[in-house]
Amino acid sequence: MARTQVLRELGGYPADAPHAEDYALWLKVVAAHETANLPEYLLHYRVHAGQVSQQKMRMQRRMTRELARAAGLEFARRGLLPGSQQPPEITLWADLTGRPGTLGGDYYHWSRVYRKLGDGSAATRAACKGLQVAPFSIDLWRSLVPHLASPRRWLRHILNR
């Protein structure tokens, strides 16, 4: 939540951050004003396959990385963010293993969301797309075939021999 006047003073959603406008706007708010996270949820988030965060996930992740890198440098320059709190640089290995903050990590997240919502086919589609960009992600492989990836299942299989 934010005051309308604050968002207007900052120019609203930036046009130069396609598919990551919300993130760019909040970075501007944080840089210019005191902010806080509230412990309670104040909204219900509707999930559907047509939303931008799923249709434009690759472009959104790329833009978010660029914004986070630039914001980290700017916050450090202003003394707002100590060097120890800088977001870590994403490595090729992190990309290939689908770590949080990567495109593969995003697909894994959506796979889990769809699985919790009871939509197994959407969960499988998200996991398959994730494996295209993060082929070494154990989490995505487990998400793709959850019943086969269960350690309990394998333990029962080994003990029953």
Side-chain angles (χ1 to χ4, degrees), residues 106-118:
D106 293 343
Y107 280 115
Y108 173 63
H109 164 77
W110 285 111
S111 177
R112 290 186 60 206
V113 167
Y114 281 125
R115 185 95 38 221
K116 286 180 183 177
L117 293 173

Side-chain angles (χ1 to χ4, degrees), residues 7 9 17 99 128-129 143 158:
L7 301 179
E9 287 171 5
R99 298 284 183 239
C128 287
K129 286 180 180 179
S143 178
I158 292 168

Side-chain angles (χ1 to χ4, degrees), residues 46-118:
R46 188 170 69 100
V47 174
H48 59 91
Q51 65 195 98
V52 171
S53 59
Q54 295 187 42
Q55 293 296 311
K56 304 292 183 179
M57 197 178 313
R58 184 179 301 264
M59 186 181 292
Q60 186 179 50
R61 173 52 62 194
R62 188 177 318 121
M63 179 56 59
T64 300
R65 273 191 191 174
E66 290 175 22
L67 291 167
R69 188 174 298 119
L73 293 172
E74 179 63 18
F75 289 175
R77 186 185 71 73
R78 292 185 187 190
L80 298 173
L81 188 64
S84 63
Q85 291 182 354
Q86 289 291 324
E89 193 66 32
I90 301 295
T91 64
L92 176 60
W93 185 248
D95 277 331
L96 291 174
T97 56
R99 298 284 183 239
T102 67
L103 185 58
D106 293 343
Y107 280 115
Y108 173 63
H109 164 77
W110 285 111
S111 177
R112 290 186 60 206
V113 167
Y114 281 125
R115 185 95 38 221
K116 286 180 183 177
L117 293 173

